[in-house]
Amino acid sequence: MQRRSFLKHASLGAAAGGAVVAAPALAQDMPSVSWRLASSFKPGLPTLYGAGEAFCRYVDEASGGRFRIRPSAQGSDGVQVFEAVAGGAVDCGHGFASACFAKDPALCFDSAVPFGMNARQMNAWMLEADGLKLTRDLYQPHQIINLPLGNTGVQMGGWYRKEIKTLADLKGVRMLTAGLAGEVLARLGVVPQQVAADEVAGALGKDTLDAVEAASPSDDEALGLQKLAPYYYYPSWWEGGAQATLYISAPAWDKLPRHYRSLVEAASRAAHASVTARYDARNPAALSRLTAAGAQLRAFPRAVLDAAFEASTEVYRALADKDPRFKAIHGNYMGFRDQLLPWFRVSESAYDQYLMSMALAAGRQR
């Protein structure tokens, strides 16, 4: 009896002692961390800005409030957000790497490039092939860790005040564009312009601007540009799948426990997938409303696309001659794209083309 009583009390004591020991260990495993995310997107772009908010919420909830990231809008200057993260002013940021073309043209491969991959192909390259490794190497000198955080899918090709029927119609067109797309468009005769976002409508109205790069219909709808530049062209051959990036300060990343890093990666992937889904769900209705409001849909003529493809090849060659890193990542990226295209031709493309033909036939029968 005394022995059983001793063992019972000893067991209770060990259990109590174990609880006392476990509490500090748990606290060490789940430290309190507070970060700030600087977004280059304004709240007026609910899908892209909302992706950053969703990412922060996932991290907060999954950590039980121990790891909190506060999002804040920084406007449309993606370069400033990049530099803020690189300089350690903020812990992480959200933006399009293509905005950093002047800093390093190769960074555009972490976003979108002329005649590049669509959203699904980009995901395959980033998450299952060499994309993430190669882009990480580009960010290393800037002390940044990158993760995908949203892909818009293929975007529209722009708002134009006049129709583009031939390549000659692009000569002298003053267009709001920049970066890698601007380099290619300039070779086609376009005159790239830089205009503040809140001055675009005024510039179109005063005839000092002829065209504006477009985004997705659900984002473009709020701009009302169909009243000033009614021709809405597609597709955006320079943004077949525009991927946004989560920039993370490498020193801040290094301080995180391993399970917090896994949490960040999981949260970013969840938010990343939701962006394409949301655009796909909202763009059809937005496009219908835009055309009802006066937007005139136009496809780029094949001759224009062919000239743009040739000009893109020339720009890529010139950049590759200057920078072996650009040459290496360009070769890997385009090589992977070309490997995927035959599969998409016999699967997605063939299936979609058939369904569209049947939908058109059904529409004629009605």
Side-chain angles (χ1 to χ4, degrees), residues 38-40 73-90 92-94 96 99-100 103 144 247:
S39 177
S40 64
Q74 298 294 311
S76 59
D77 193 339
V79 177
Q80 289 183 350
V81 169
F82 180 97
E83 291 178 344
V85 179
V90 293
C92 55
H94 187 206
F96 286 126
C100 300
K103 185 178 292 293
I144 287 177
Y247 308 123

Side-chain angles (χ1 to χ4, degrees), residues 256-263:
L256 288 180
R258 186 178 297 275
H259 56 287
Y260 273 10
R261 296 182 195 175
S262 295
L263 193 160

